[in-house]
């Protein structure tokens, strides 16, 4: 599971089972974010893993990783930026 914030639109949560949800300040923001997520996910190769999906979602303009589940200690994950 990981979550990505997209500046000006809201948050995307990927549950790791191929399901995602968006949360925006308004229904319009949520709908626009969902469209951006769908467009980003079209670039993910089949088969893929969560890392491929995360990279695709992070390619959305204004996106940043908020949190990601892992088995490492704080600061030991590749690309960890201090958010948790």
């Amino acid at each position: 599971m990981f979550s990505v914030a997209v500046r000006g639109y809201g948050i995307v949560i990927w549950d790791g089972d191929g399901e995602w949800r968006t949360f925006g300040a308004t229904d319009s923001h949520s709908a626009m974010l969902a469209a951006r997520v769908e467009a980003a996910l079209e670039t993910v190769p089949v088969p893929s893993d969560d890392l491929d999906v995360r990279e695709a979602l992070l390619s959305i303009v204004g996106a940043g990783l908020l949190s990601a589940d892992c088995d490492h200690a704080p600061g030991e994950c590749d690309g960890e930026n201090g958010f948790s």
Side-chain angles (χ1 to χ4, degrees):
M1 174 185 266
F2 62 86
S3 59
V4 173
V6 180
R7 183 176 294 123
Y9 291 94
I11 297 171
V12 180
I13 297 177
W14 178 264
D15 71 7
D17 292 327
E19 299 292 322
W20 54 274
R21 300 180 306 275
T22 60
F23 299 91
T26 66
D27 289 342
S28 176
H29 285 131
S30 290
M32 291 174 69
L33 181 55
R36 287 179 169 224
V37 168
E38 289 174 357
L41 292 177
E42 287 178 0
T43 68
V44 176
V46 176
S48 63
D49 60 18
D50 282 356
L51 185 58
D52 294 327
V53 171
R54 186 167 66 184
E55 292 302 314
L57 294 179
L58 289 173
S59 73
I60 297 172
V61 174
L65 185 65
L66 287 179
S67 67
D69 288 344
C70 71
D71 296 326
H72 302 98
E76 292 180 351
C77 295
D78 290 339
E80 188 171 38
N81 60 10
F83 293 112
S84 60

